[in-house]
mmCIF file of all heavy atoms in Angstrom:
data_model
loop_
_atom_site.group_PDB
_atom_site.id
_atom_site.type_symbol
_atom_site.label_atom_id
_atom_site.label_comp_id
_atom_site.label_asym_id
_atom_site.label_seq_id
_atom_site.Cartn_x
_atom_site.Cartn_y
_atom_site.Cartn_z
ATOM 1 N N TRP A 1538 6.346 -6.468 3.064
ATOM 2 C CA TRP A 1538 5.439 -7.591 3.335
ATOM 3 C C TRP A 1538 4.202 -7.438 2.478
ATOM 4 O O TRP A 1538 3.673 -6.337 2.332
ATOM 5 C CB TRP A 1538 5.052 -7.594 4.806
ATOM 6 C CG TRP A 1538 4.406 -8.845 5.299
ATOM 7 C CD1 TRP A 1538 3.103 -9.017 5.656
ATOM 8 C CD2 TRP A 1538 5.045 -10.108 5.535
ATOM 9 N NE1 TRP A 1538 2.874 -10.303 6.091
ATOM 10 C CE2 TRP A 1538 4.063 -10.997 6.027
ATOM 11 C CE3 TRP A 1538 6.356 -10.567 5.357
ATOM 12 C CZ2 TRP A 1538 4.352 -12.324 6.346
ATOM 13 C CZ3 TRP A 1538 6.636 -11.876 5.682
ATOM 14 C CH2 TRP A 1538 5.650 -12.738 6.170
ATOM 15 N N SER A 1539 3.732 -8.539 1.894
ATOM 16 C CA SER A 1539 2.557 -8.497 1.027
ATOM 17 C C SER A 1539 1.440 -9.425 1.479
ATOM 18 O O SER A 1539 0.312 -9.315 0.997
ATOM 19 C CB SER A 1539 2.953 -8.854 -0.414
ATOM 20 O OG SER A 1539 3.909 -7.932 -0.915
ATOM 21 N N CYS A 1540 1.736 -10.355 2.382
ATOM 22 C CA CYS A 1540 0.746 -11.339 2.798
ATOM 23 C C CYS A 1540 -0.369 -10.688 3.619
ATOM 24 O O CYS A 1540 -0.104 -9.952 4.575
ATOM 25 C CB CYS A 1540 1.411 -12.447 3.610
ATOM 26 S SG CYS A 1540 0.272 -13.781 4.072
ATOM 27 N N LEU A 1541 -1.614 -10.971 3.256
ATOM 28 C CA LEU A 1541 -2.763 -10.436 3.978
ATOM 29 C C LEU A 1541 -3.179 -11.330 5.143
ATOM 30 O O LEU A 1541 -3.975 -10.919 5.988
ATOM 31 C CB LEU A 1541 -3.965 -10.291 3.032
ATOM 32 C CG LEU A 1541 -3.776 -9.474 1.764
ATOM 33 C CD1 LEU A 1541 -5.098 -9.381 1.008
ATOM 34 C CD2 LEU A 1541 -3.222 -8.099 2.059
ATOM 35 N N ALA A 1542 -2.643 -12.548 5.186
ATOM 36 C CA ALA A 1542 -3.157 -13.551 6.111
ATOM 37 C C ALA A 1542 -2.309 -13.774 7.348
ATOM 38 O O ALA A 1542 -2.802 -14.320 8.336
ATOM 39 C CB ALA A 1542 -3.312 -14.889 5.377
ATOM 40 N N SER A 1543 -1.029 -13.385 7.327
ATOM 41 C CA SER A 1543 -0.125 -13.836 8.377
ATOM 42 C C SER A 1543 0.913 -12.787 8.752
ATOM 43 O O SER A 1543 1.353 -11.989 7.910
ATOM 44 C CB SER A 1543 0.595 -15.113 7.920
ATOM 45 O OG SER A 1543 1.613 -15.484 8.807
ATOM 46 N N ASN A 1544 1.320 -12.819 10.027
ATOM 47 C CA ASN A 1544 2.447 -12.018 10.509
ATOM 48 C C ASN A 1544 3.751 -12.814 10.495
ATOM 49 O O ASN A 1544 4.808 -12.255 10.786
ATOM 50 C CB ASN A 1544 2.188 -11.580 11.963
ATOM 51 C CG ASN A 1544 1.152 -10.483 12.077
ATOM 52 O OD1 ASN A 1544 1.328 -9.401 11.539
ATOM 53 N ND2 ASN A 1544 0.070 -10.763 12.783
ATOM 54 N N ASP A 1545 3.672 -14.096 10.192
ATOM 55 C CA ASP A 1545 4.823 -14.979 10.362
ATOM 56 C C ASP A 1545 5.507 -15.350 9.047
ATOM 57 O O ASP A 1545 6.633 -14.956 8.795
ATOM 58 C CB ASP A 1545 4.388 -16.242 11.104
ATOM 59 C CG ASP A 1545 3.768 -15.923 12.462
ATOM 60 O OD1 ASP A 1545 4.329 -15.070 13.169
ATOM 61 O OD2 ASP A 1545 2.725 -16.497 12.793
ATOM 62 N N ALA A 1546 4.825 -16.129 8.228
ATOM 63 C CA ALA A 1546 5.375 -16.561 6.942
ATOM 64 C C ALA A 1546 4.335 -16.294 5.864
ATOM 65 O O ALA A 1546 3.134 -16.407 6.108
ATOM 66 C CB ALA A 1546 5.728 -18.036 6.976
ATOM 67 N N PRO A 1547 4.758 -15.911 4.657
ATOM 68 C CA PRO A 1547 3.794 -15.671 3.585
ATOM 69 C C PRO A 1547 2.931 -16.892 3.332
ATOM 70 O O PRO A 1547 3.438 -18.015 3.220
ATOM 71 C CB PRO A 1547 4.685 -15.360 2.378
ATOM 72 C CG PRO A 1547 5.978 -14.892 2.948
ATOM 73 C CD PRO A 1547 6.154 -15.668 4.212
ATOM 74 N N CYS A 1548 1.611 -16.699 3.251
ATOM 75 C CA CYS A 1548 0.718 -17.844 3.025
ATOM 76 C C CYS A 1548 0.835 -18.377 1.609
ATOM 77 O O CYS A 1548 0.569 -19.542 1.351
ATOM 78 C CB CYS A 1548 -0.731 -17.444 3.320
ATOM 79 S SG CYS A 1548 -1.513 -16.384 2.064
ATOM 80 N N GLY A 1549 1.235 -17.509 0.663
ATOM 81 C CA GLY A 1549 1.421 -17.931 -0.720
ATOM 82 C C GLY A 1549 0.162 -17.972 -1.548
ATOM 83 O O GLY A 1549 0.233 -18.145 -2.762
#
Side-chain angles (χ1 to χ4, degrees):
W1538 194 251
S1539 300
C1540 184
L1541 305 183
S1543 171
N1544 286 299
D1545 302 317
C1548 74

